[in-house]
Amino acid sequence: MVKAVRGVLVECEPAIKSILVHIDSTNNNEFIIEDLDETHLFVKETMVHLLKQKLEDRLKETYRPEEPLEDSE
Amino acid sequence: MSVAQQSYQLSEYLEKLPGTTFRKLYQQPSTAFAIFRRMLPPLAKVFVQALLYMPSPLLLADLDVWVRGEGKMQRDRALSILRSLHIIQITPPGKDKPQEMQLTTNFKNSLRLALEGGGSHNSFGVPSTLPVDPRIDIAHLDNYARKKWEDILHYVVNSVPVHGEGGGGSFGGGPKASVKDVLLIGHLVERRHDTRGGVSITQAGFTFLLQEANAQVWTLLLLWLEAADRANKGAANAANAAKTDSIDMLSFLFMLASLELGRAYNTDALTDPRRNMLPALVDFGLIYIPREDTRQYFPTRLATTLTSSASALRSVSSGFSAAAANNPGDASSLGTTPDTSAASKGAIIIETNYRIYAYTSSPLQIAVMALFAHLNLRFPGMVTGRLTRDSIRRAIGFGITADQIVSYLASHAHEQMVRAAAATGRPVLPPTVVDQIRLWQLENERMRTSAGFMFKDFDSLEEYVSLSAYAEEIGVLVWRSDKKRMFYASKIEQLRDYLKSRKKAE
């Protein structure tokens, strides 16, 4: 019997995907329903926001772009 | 990037209504006509027109003769829209009988009536025979509607937590309490005590703010209909609750949309529930009722453009959409949008070093700019600021897109910038700035999300192939994997119907 499961499809680069999978595995697998392919994940609808936040935090640790220039005023 | 809760649109609202509601809606010729005019793509219109005077149902197979082979996709999409709006009926596929299609009875009768002009349905309004005050002309109505609508936008904008000197300023009056309630119920703003006015804007509110005026009107009206519906359910037990039926309300809106701007209509010809809607519509600025004579009502441009694609009143946000409608990459064609409202005249100068100078003192425009720019100095008639990574990221966090920001800047560019660009043959906005805004957005879009449904556990390969092919045809397929026999679709309603009709056919 065919099933339709509600959820959110996440598309991202493979590098980001591996971070997402890692976040999921260190949080009792409460985000990801299914790992689809290199660039797609199927995620619980209620958890997307939190997952996004966790990714943002993780990226902040490693990534610091410079502001283009300082303000002189 | 986010599962941005898209503001409510008419088509989504209609799709969710049950068939019985459509039957009721289509009893009114102006509704059938408005749906035909506004909601259908050209090919669907052609089908409807062809079917309109056809005495007997058309064989679905015959339709293939009309459509070239390569147009199959458009054909299926047109049919799917017509079905979801309950305009056509298609008999379920059976072994003994070929599939047939025809217009639904009410829609057919009403559209015929609308075209031929017969009947006494009064669904295109009853003009008032009373003398009309000569001061009430189109300019007066436009001013009135614009003021009402800008009051509402001001209220939403002013609920933004203000950074520094940026936005704000005084605004008089504001919308009526009933309008504020609708904004609150629709979660365009939410109650908070740390901002001026006690409310704060939500993400849906930002999206609302940047919509085209016409879409804004619909968003608000649909929120209002829903609120009325809920109130009805609550009051259903009360003995003599004046029952305003949301179906009738929607019909009334479609009727308003078919009225003529600048003409007076007769209030007495309306049914009681519809007359009860008038005060709320006055608050939204959709109609105008002279204070000294309430027997007449005048539809404003906000109302008469509800179902047309002609642009409604110019507002702050109109720049966004007018520009976005053009090719977003083609910056040189932007900035020439004709503006009538003083607030939206080109005032912004942006330099290659991300500095912004805006010659304006309109609190509305300043507040909108404060959404995506870091404003630091304010002079009489001018503000300065700059675009920074943080200011753009904050805007994107609110649900504003880079394209919206770029379009806004382009369509509000100072004429000096437009002139200089035209003289040198370069785009109005400095390309470095435009690219950087887009890059800042990309940085934020490390994961793209879309809400919908995963279809899996198919009984057979054949079932998977046919359903996924159907999903692709009607344009809801987002992702598929033949290996896993799974696919992801953005909508479920029509796929469910398709499965049901397959089951029946078996």
Side-chain angles (χ1 to χ4, degrees), chain A residues 1-12 16 20 34-37 40 42 45 48 51-52 55-56 59 63 65 67-73, chain B residues 1-3 354-355 376 386 388-390 393 443-444 446-459 463 478-479 484 486 488 492 499 503:
Chain A
M1 188 56 199
V2 55
K3 266 199 299 196
V5 186
R6 197 187 182 88
V8 170
L9 187 76
V10 173
E11 189 188 347
C12 55
I16 299 295
L20 293 178
E34 193 155 351
D35 189 340
L36 299 172
D37 60 23
H40 289 89
F42 188 45
E45 197 170 20
V48 172
L51 182 62
K52 202 167 274 179
L55 174 69
E56 196 78 350
L59 290 174
Y63 183 65
E67 275 297 323
L69 63 148
E70 275 307 305
D71 224 338
S72 56
E73 281 119 337
Chain B
M1 37 149 272
S2 59
V3 210
Y354 306 94
R355 295 246 168 88
N376 44 15
R386 49 182 299 158
T388 64
R389 179 169 174 266
D390 281 340
R393 284 180 69 113
E443 204 174 273
N444 233 17
R446 301 202 163 257
M447 49 191 271
R448 281 175 299 281
T449 55
S450 62
F453 298 86
M454 182 68 79
F455 288 79
K456 57 181 186 182
D457 299 343
F458 287 92
D459 291 334
E463 189 181 28
V478 183
W479 174 90
K484 295 186 188 226
M486 284 162 61
Y488 187 82
I492 191 172
L499 274 179
K503 282 266 147 56

Side-chain angles (χ1 to χ4, degrees), chain B residues 314-372:
Chain B
R314 286 274 153 189
S315 66
V316 233
S317 57
S318 65
F320 280 100
S321 56
N326 291 323
N327 182 358
D330 181 13
S332 58
S333 71
L334 305 176
T336 51
T337 343
D339 284 328
T340 52
S341 152
S344 51
K345 247 192 213 128
I348 301 176
I349 290 184
I350 179 154
E351 297 180 337
T352 47
N353 56 8
Y354 306 94
R355 295 246 168 88
I356 283 192
Y357 309 88
Y359 292 91
T360 178
S361 45
S362 145
L364 190 54
Q365 194 173 7
I366 294 173
V368 170
M369 281 176 51
L371 296 180
F372 59 81

